C-alpha cells in the first residue's frame, strides 16, 4: 500500500453519489500517484457506482499508475459476482 493514495467510500456508491465521488477520485490521480480504493464501507452499489470503479481501473491504466481495489463489502462482492467482473 505504500505510495498509494487511499480512496474511501463509506456509504452508497450509486447514481445519487457517483458524480461527486467521481470528482474526488479523479483528483487523487492528479499528482501521478496510484490509488488504493477501499471498498469496505460501500453499502449499496448500482451500475453508476460500478462504472466509477471501472473508471478508476481504466484511469490507472491510462496514467500507468497502480490502482488497487481492497476489502469489498458484501454489497460490492454481490454486484461483482452477478456481473462476473473482476476489478
Amino acid at each position: 500500500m505504500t505510495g498509494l493514495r487511499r480512496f474511501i467510500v463509506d456509504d452508497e456508491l450509486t447514481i445519487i453519489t457517483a458524480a461527486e465521488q467521481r470528482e474526488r477520485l479523479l483528483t487523487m490521480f492528479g499528482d501521478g500517484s496510484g490509488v488504493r480504493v477501499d471498498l469496505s464501507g460501500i453499502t449499496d452499489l448500482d451500475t453508476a457506482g460500478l462504472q466509477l470503479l471501472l473508471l478508476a481501473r481504466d484511469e490507472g491504466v491510462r496514467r500507468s499508475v497502480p490502482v488497487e481495489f481492497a476489502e469489498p463489502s458484501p454489497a460490492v462482492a454481490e454486484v461483482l459476482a452477478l456481473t462476473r467482473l473482476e476489478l
Side-chain angles (χ1 to χ4, degrees), residues 13-60:
L13 188 54
T14 65
I15 194 166
I16 296 169
T17 62
E20 177 183 330
Q21 297 297 341
R22 181 182 184 277
E23 295 307 313
R24 278 188 56 226
L25 176 66
L26 291 178
T27 59
M28 299 194 87
F29 285 102
D31 66 357
S33 297
V35 175
R36 182 176 197 260
V37 181
D38 185 333
L39 304 172
S40 64
I42 296 176
T43 58
D44 189 15
L45 179 70
D46 68 4
T47 55
L50 188 57
Q51 287 177 337
L52 183 61
L53 298 179
L54 295 172
L55 171 71
R57 182 188 67 184
D58 293 348
E59 195 67 15

